[in-house]
Amino acid sequence: MRVHNFGAGPCTLPFEVLAEAEKELLDYRGAGMSLVEMSHRSVEYDAVHRDTLDLLRRVAGVPAAFDILFVQGGATLQFAMVPMNLLAGGGSAGFVLSGSWAKKALDDAALVGDAYAAWDGAGSAYTTFPASGEVVVRENTRYLHVTTNETIGGIRMVDFPDVGVPLVADMSSEYLARPIEWDRYDLVYGGVQKNLAPSGLAVVFVRSTALDDSTERLPAYLRYRWHADSASLGNTPAMFPIYIMGKVLEVIEDRGGIEALERESADKAAAVYEVIDTSGGFYLSPVAPAVRSHMNVVFRLPSQDLETAFLAEARRRRMVGLKGHRSVGGIRASLYAACRMESVEALTSFMREFAASAG
Ligand code: PMP
């Protein structure tokens, strides 16, 4: 029996995808071996690779002006690759410092280029995003980097700053669960291990013209142009996550695409926030309602002992992955794309019961 998995990533994947992959793992469509035992130059893998690129383009509505790249190294490598490539022609990068992930992105960018905080949420303990007008970019800013969903803080960007420069977004923890306003961006990236696939891969959408200044002085793998020119087949790609992502994208498309995922995500999150807000203060969300994440619902109980008891009892009921990030503690329920409403219902009824018995 499978558990209710609220892990923050890697996390639950659609059951039908796992079942199909299990079947194909010993014999991929009569080949007598799995897809991941084949050459990445094989006809079979090539078809999967290109179909997955096509599906991504269709499901995410990616305009022709953007290249789609598969890069290993997770979202973390993108913290450095983005400035290496986009600042190659000069200029600096502004950052909306909205939490732990934005900070890591800024720290790495500052090692390879001129990067600065255009807004810093420290004053509100990183529980909000800036209001319009609060983001201040310096002259000669090439792009503004935003983290649209802070996975640890549990906040979601609602108003995207309009400061006259293109945006670059880390969408890792809400990837393809929310439409992307392509006109605003030069680049969008994210690790796939939450909504889309097993870990080992980042998907990068980059406006082709943003690479006009790209430099030949970067090592091949760090050069976006190299990935774009080879359709991400310049070297051996992360075949397993790409293969599984193709199947997950089919499920997303069947379920109604990104818009449907966004609605479902909002409903799932609303169900958990409702229990928090009607618990008479037993559960507390540190996040202002307007910017509460649809993906990562963070909350506290009245004491650490109660949180420990909550996690133990949840586990006994086959609900796992609820422990808050080690840097902040508390509880975090991640409600990614493959987390079904029945899991959310199991969680909310447990939360009500637990509050009634302990509160
Ligand atoms: N950005 C965000 C918003 C994340 O949630 C994470 C991982 N949880 C990362 C970046 C880093 O991703 P990776 O582990 O793929 O490097």
Side-chain angles (χ1 to χ4, degrees), residues 73-76 79 101 147 149 151 170 172-173 191 193-194:
T76 299
F79 295 163
W101 291 110
T147 308
N149 186 79
T151 323
D170 173 3
S172 293
S173 47
Q193 67 272 24
K194 294 154 198 311

Side-chain angles (χ1 to χ4, degrees), residues 280-353:
F282 184 78
Y283 299 112
L284 276 183
S285 161
V287 180
V291 293
R292 286 178 175 174
S293 172
H294 293 176
M295 294 286 143
N296 312 99
V297 179
V298 299
F299 55 96
R300 306 294 317 215
L301 274 70
S303 71
Q304 214 144 47
D305 284 350
L306 278 169
E307 287 175 353
T308 306
F310 178 92
L311 291 170
E313 181 57 20
R315 178 166 280 281
R316 212 182 56 75
R317 297 177 187 221
R318 306 186 64 77
M319 287 179 251
V320 303
L322 286 163
K323 198 170 182 347
H325 190 268
R326 60 188 188 279
S327 62
V328 292
I331 312 292
R332 171 173 55 175
S334 296
L335 313 172
Y336 294 126
C339 172
R340 306 311 304 255
M341 198 48 155
E342 67 186 68
S343 290
V344 177
E345 280 161 4
L347 175 64
T348 51
S349 62
F350 165 59
M351 285 173 70
R352 284 206 178 88
E353 229 182 275

